[in-house]
Amino acid sequence: MDMSSDTSTDTSRDTDTGPTDTGTDGGVAALHRLIRPVTDFIGAQPLDAALGERLNRRFPADGPLYAQVLDLCRAGLREGWICPREHGGIRYGRVIPPDQALGGFSVDIVLMKDIAGPRHRHPLGEIDLILPVSGPSGPARFDGHPAGWLVYGPDSVHRPTVSSGEAFVLYLLPQGQIDFH
């Protein structure tokens, strides 16, 4: 996620995610292996709310893939290979650039706590995996949604917001495209 004021569509330039062995190469490879069944499942399905529902049934927040991704995010944060950048209280970074083996999706991860991020547009859509870490009165929420999958369709715009605590959010971006306003 590029937190600059640049409003151009970002397709590849935010690939500097810090160290690359591990932790890192092993962690990135592990994340790639975990995400591959998800992107295979997505295939050519339209990016819409119905896809979010299907993802939540197939890869639920109480399932093994979710737990493994959350564990990997925690380890990656400790080891410095995810969220190596920080701007305005938001930690972020692109972990995997657009990859044809992942259906052309990039994988970005942010860590946010009770904060709204910068308004942006999803030219081709965005698929989010919401991974709450903590919350004072239950798990944190992302854009009002609990743990699990959330899909924004092409040309959607939002100001990503984590409330009631802290959460990792894993973003799958088609062709890595995101347009900050």
Side-chain angles (χ1 to χ4, degrees):
M1 175 177 268
D2 180 357
M3 305 299 255
S4 72
S5 60
D6 182 2
T7 60
S8 63
T9 298
D10 176 3
T11 60
S12 65
R13 64 184 169 157
D14 192 7
T15 58
D16 174 22
T17 59
T20 54
D21 35 17
T22 226
T24 312
D25 281 347
V28 171
L31 182 61
H32 195 283
R33 282 191 304 276
L34 285 171
I35 295 301
R36 177 84 186 255
V38 175
T39 58
D40 287 351
F41 175 77
I42 294 166
Q45 295 183 66
L47 272 61
D48 57 19
L51 174 59
E53 292 169 11
R54 288 189 295 275
L55 285 166
N56 278 308
R57 282 193 303 274
R58 179 72 174 258
F59 306 103
D62 61 355
L65 181 124
Y66 179 94
Q68 291 171 331
V69 171
L70 181 56
D71 288 347
L72 203 52
C73 285
R74 288 178 170 144
L77 186 65
R78 279 190 312 273
E79 295 165 2
W81 59 269
I82 69 159
C83 302
R85 298 179 180 180
E86 188 275 332
H87 180 80
I90 299 171
R91 295 189 63 176
Y92 65 98
R94 176 156 291 170
V95 182
I96 301 172
D99 186 330
Q100 291 307 41
L102 297 177
F105 288 98
S106 64
V107 179
D108 295 23
I109 299 175
V110 300
L111 178 61
M112 302 169 66
K113 182 175 182 179
D114 295 318
I115 193 168
R119 178 179 165 88
H120 62 269
R121 182 176 72 89
H122 315 115
L124 301 175
E126 175 181 275
I127 300 170
D128 305 328
L129 178 56
I130 304 162
L131 302 144
V133 175
S134 67
S137 59
R141 297 176 79 77
F142 175 74
D143 288 355
H145 296 269
W149 296 94
L150 173 64
V151 177
Y152 286 100
D155 290 318
S156 56
V157 176
H158 75 132
R159 186 165 184 208
T161 303
V162 169
S163 58
S164 300
E166 185 174 37
F168 288 105
V169 182
L170 181 147
Y171 297 96
L172 298 175
L173 296 167
Q175 303 307 316
Q177 291 190 20
I178 190 166
D179 186 11
F180 287 88
H181 297 276

